[in-house]
Amino acid sequence: MRTREGDRIAVDEGVVIERVRAGEAEAYAELVRAHTPIALRAAAALGAGADAEDVVQQAFFKAYCSLGRFREGSSFRPWLLRIVANETRNTVRSAGRLRAATGREATLIGAEPLIPDSADPAVAALEGERRSALLGALERLGEDQRLVVTYRYLLDMDEAETAEALGWPRGTVKSRLNRALKKLGRLLPGPGEGGEEHE
């Protein structure tokens, strides 16, 4: 059974996983359809760039192959996003593009338009500048801080999901998020400022 929650297609994951485990492989397509948009955003936000679709495809394949080890009662989304993050990390490392800010920005913007077509052009330009500044600042965070900010805010995951996806205790999520936000606050330009960190 599928329902729509905002821009997400919600499926009864437990039922679908049981169907797949029982030999109904085609049922897995329901999980793929439900989680492809957030998986693409995750891959793009974590640096996959133009390889985001390949990363997500590989992540879904690995998740399918590992479905027998999926813990009953867990949420599929954090588990999948952990696989996406690992695949993205492997892809970025092998390609040497971890710090390719322009590629990440282009892919991220291409993955999901954040500004509606009807927006005021001046507002859209300002939002574009803010977004570029945010992505630039994210590039300057350490990997753990970039991950936690991406999961909590770019992927709109709650604290529990973020902890599960990253495999960290919730206290670690809170402390790393707190430090990351403080650092972002120093990196992002204020009104009339250049946004450089002063430590």
Side-chain angles (χ1 to χ4, degrees):
M1 178 178 168
R2 293 188 298 158
T3 58
R4 183 168 286 278
E5 294 176 359
D7 64 343
R8 289 177 38 196
I9 298 171
V11 298
D12 187 337
E13 295 172 349
V15 171
V16 172
I17 290 170
E18 282 307 310
R19 287 168 53 200
V20 176
R21 285 174 169 167
E24 192 182 336
E26 59 275 10
Y28 190 66
E30 291 186 37
L31 292 175
V32 173
R33 279 192 295 271
H35 297 288
T36 292
I38 194 168
L40 284 171
R41 286 199 310 269
L46 296 174
D51 296 324
E53 288 188 13
D54 291 339
V55 164
V56 168
Q57 192 173 33
Q58 184 65 19
F60 274 117
F61 177 72
K62 286 191 172 183
Y64 178 80
C65 292
S66 303
L67 213 50
R69 296 193 307 267
F70 181 76
R71 193 163 29 104
E72 193 172 332
S74 298
S75 177
F76 182 78
R77 187 167 74 152
W79 185 69
L80 172 69
L81 291 180
R82 191 171 7 186
I83 296 172
V84 170
N86 288 337
E87 283 302 308
T88 301
R89 189 177 303 116
N90 292 339
T91 298
V92 168
R93 282 183 184 152
S94 67
R97 291 185 301 230
L98 182 59
R99 300 291 175 188
T102 53
R104 177 179 302 179
E105 180 181 349
T107 301
L108 184 59
I109 291 170
E112 184 171 359
L114 296 177
I115 301 170
D117 293 337
S118 60
D120 181 320
V123 173
L126 186 57
E127 288 299 318
E129 288 177 18
R130 288 180 181 154
R131 183 164 187 79
S132 293
L134 175 60
L135 290 172
L138 276 172
E139 288 289 333
R140 296 175 64 184
L141 297 180
E143 183 175 354
D144 286 351
Q145 291 181 343
R146 188 170 53 250
L147 281 171
V148 74
V149 170
T150 297
Y151 277 60
R152 280 289 282 126
Y153 297 109
L154 296 184
L155 301 178
D156 200 25
M157 297 177 77
D158 64 27
E159 189 179 283
E161 286 180 313
T162 300
E164 188 174 345
L166 294 174
W168 300 343
R170 289 179 71 162
T172 303
V173 169
K174 280 184 183 177
S175 62
R176 289 183 180 169
L177 185 62
N178 186 39
R179 284 195 294 272
L181 293 177
K182 284 181 180 175
K183 187 168 183 180
L184 277 178
R186 293 192 300 269
L187 293 170
L188 287 170
E193 296 178 352
E196 288 301 312
E197 184 177 17
H198 304 288
E199 290 187 298

